[in-house]
Amino acid sequence: MIKFLDLKKINDNYEAGISDAIARVLSSGWYLLGNEVKSFEQEYREFIGSRHCIGVANGLDALRLILRSYIELGQMSEGDEIIVPANTYIASVLAVSENRLVPVPVEPDISTLNIDPYRIEEKITERTRGIMIVHLYGRNAMHPEIERIKKKYNLKLIEDNAQAHGCIYDGKRTGSLGDAAGHSFYPGKNLGALGDAGAVTTDDDELADVVRTIANYGSKTKYQNLYKGLNSRLDEIQAAILRAKLPHLDNDNQHRRKIAQLYFDNIKNPDIILPSALCPPPPALCHVWHLFVIRTQNRDRLQNYLNDNGIQTLIHYPLPPHKQNAYREWNDRSYPVTEMIHREVISLPISQVMTDEEAEIVVLAINNYQNT
């Protein structure tokens, strides 16, 4: 069986560094808010190119904390609207509604599967305070039109960078393009911990201070609470593990690009719609291929066929947010592009440890697939 993502093999590559990282934490006797977290925050903010990095418990918390901090700073208030992609993973939307803000979904561009920049302006109202872009599947979602709209309406631009660690747009890393960004280090991400972990990056000194404070029970000084905060902290062991992996991230992403290019060059089945082409070389840095997502009209048939041929695939994602029970008040809405995407997408195996031979087996199986 070709696994969709062989996490054990990925982490075996870093076994020496991970073991050393864990031993370092154990010998220190310090498990929270220590030197490993401080060091990772410094190393990751330098990697991203932001002034600040705040380690938090997970990617959803990172987005929640950004929005909550804008509320505490008086820059947003209950009932304000945040533009979001209609076809994102639900966490992006949950972060908005959790803060009693109003998510306003916008359809994607079918060629990129990211939010369509040219559909955003029509959704802006007097209550709009921000745009959340999601670098979905590892592809940069930033666009000159989004920059124009942000400036014209004086909006906050928040990046969901959970799937795009290391991606580059216009010479800058995603995660440093807007006012603030949320990052997830869930184990399956391109930069993955061995459990839940996340971070916020920003150039805004005041925002960074409030995010850090709210994430620590709303406290700067022990037992003194400035805000009704929460407990969302990156722990020392996860930070140490991430430090072991971070120096290899660009090389890992480059290997993913190699596998993606092999798929592009060799999949020739007319029933399969490939992602839009890689960015123009050299090099193709606007995509880090967290996922390689193809489309086909009879997805379940293809998935069963690939499974029967020893190839594991996943669906990202079966249901869009507006069709979830959690947002049942949206269930009657129609987002046709989003709905088509969620009916047709299927993710092929891709990772930094996938071999050319494994990719060639996937190609052969797909080229032999018949949709009748």
Side-chain angles (χ1 to χ4, degrees):
M1 172 69 74
I2 296 176
K3 293 183 179 180
F4 175 75
L5 184 67
D6 194 335
L7 283 178
K8 184 179 185 305
K9 188 174 180 182
I10 289 171
N11 287 314
D12 282 349
N13 274 359
Y14 302 111
E15 195 277 331
I18 290 172
S19 295
D20 179 67
I22 294 171
R24 201 165 61 238
V25 174
L26 291 175
S27 65
S28 76
W30 197 282
Y31 310 118
L32 282 170
L33 302 179
N35 289 329
E36 295 295 338
V37 170
K38 289 177 184 175
S39 296
F40 173 71
E41 288 177 340
Q42 178 179 342
E43 291 160 12
Y44 193 64
R45 72 172 176 254
E46 290 173 355
F47 175 82
I48 292 294
S50 293
R51 284 172 53 85
H52 301 280
C53 172
I54 304 97
V56 299
N58 54 69
L60 173 56
D61 276 5
L63 296 173
R64 290 170 62 206
L65 284 160
I66 290 167
L67 295 168
R68 169 71 186 283
S69 297
Y70 280 133
I71 291 170
E72 294 291 352
L73 289 167
Q75 297 176 28
M76 294 180 185
S77 59
E78 182 175 341
D80 284 346
E81 297 172 352
I82 306 294
I83 301 289
V84 296
N87 64 312
T88 185
Y89 179 58
I90 199 170
S92 313
V93 185
L94 290 173
V96 178
S97 53
E98 166 76 9
N99 283 288
R100 298 185 179 181
L101 302 169
V102 179
V104 179
V106 171
E107 286 265 62
D109 178 341
I110 193 60
S111 68
T112 66
L113 307 187
N114 278 326
I115 193 169
D116 188 336
Y118 297 103
R119 294 191 183 205
I120 292 175
E121 192 163 18
E122 66 190 39
K123 297 289 187 178
I124 292 174
T125 73
E126 62 181 15
R127 296 304 302 269
T128 306
R129 297 292 179 268
I131 302 169
M132 183 182 292
I133 58 172
V134 181
H135 304 295
L136 196 64
Y137 305 147
R139 181 188 294 273
N140 162 64
M142 192 54 180
H143 188 279
E145 177 68 3
I146 296 176
E147 295 183 50
R148 183 191 71 80
I149 293 169
K150 167 184 161 53
K151 291 177 182 176
K152 178 178 177 180
Y153 296 96
N154 191 28
L155 302 176
K156 297 297 183 185
L157 178 62
I158 300 152
E159 298 173 77
D160 182 338
N161 199 47
Q163 300 186 10
H165 313 128
C167 184
I168 292 178
Y169 167 78
D170 196 23
K172 297 178 68 177
R173 304 269 189 187
T174 56
S176 70
L177 306 176
D179 295 286
H183 308 254
S184 169
F185 307 117
Y186 179 80
K189 305 299 187 185
N190 291 33
L191 178 62
L194 296 190
D196 279 320
V200 172
T201 54
T202 183
D203 288 341
D204 185 329
D205 298 347
E206 191 175 28
L207 180 72
D209 182 65
V210 176
V211 166
R212 188 179 296 280
T213 303
I214 293 174
N216 187 39
Y217 297 96
S219 174
K220 286 186 181 181
T221 304
K222 197 167 186 178
Y223 305 130
Q224 296 180 26
N225 303 82
L226 298 173
Y227 307 104
K228 296 173 183 175
L230 56 129
N231 176 13
S232 182
R233 300 176 298 198
L234 178 63
D235 71 69
E236 287 286 284
I237 285 182
Q238 300 303 338
I241 290 166
L242 291 168
R243 291 184 67 203
K245 291 184 171 185
L246 180 58
H248 306 281
L249 179 56
D250 280 336
N251 285 337
D252 286 350
N253 286 341
Q254 198 56 37
H255 185 82
R256 287 171 174 267
R257 293 185 183 105
K258 177 185 173 186
I259 298 297
Q261 192 64 55
L262 192 153
Y263 283 154
F264 275 113
D265 291 343
N266 295 285
I267 293 176
K268 306 295 182 184
N269 189 321
D271 292 321
I272 303 300
I273 302 172
L274 294 172
S276 58
L278 290 164
C279 310
L285 300 178
C286 81
H287 207 316
V288 295
W289 298 104
H290 173 60
L291 299 171
F292 191 94
V293 180
I294 62 174
R295 293 167 41 223
T296 190
Q297 289 191 354
N298 197 338
R299 178 185 56 207
D300 291 347
R301 178 184 175 91
L302 174 60
Q303 186 170 42
N304 290 334
Y305 163 84
L306 291 173
N307 186 66
D308 290 344
N309 282 271
I311 298 165
Q312 185 183 41
T313 59
L314 292 178
I315 309 300
H316 298 92
Y317 301 96
L319 280 177
H322 75 280
K323 293 298 184 183
Q324 300 284 355
N325 188 60
Y327 290 98
R328 51 192 172 273
E329 67 273 21
W330 294 356
N331 286 175
D332 291 335
R333 293 188 186 182
S334 175
Y335 296 102
V337 180
T338 291
E339 290 159 21
M340 179 179 68
I341 288 170
H342 285 259
R343 283 195 308 269
E344 296 181 350
V345 290
I346 180 170
S347 301
L348 301 183
I350 191 168
S351 76
Q352 57 265 50
V353 295
M354 189 175 187
T355 65
D356 289 2
E357 291 75 19
E358 288 173 325
E360 287 163 2
I361 292 170
V362 175
V363 167
L364 180 63
I366 289 179
N367 285 343
N368 288 334
Y369 167 72
Q370 295 182 351
N371 193 27
T372 55

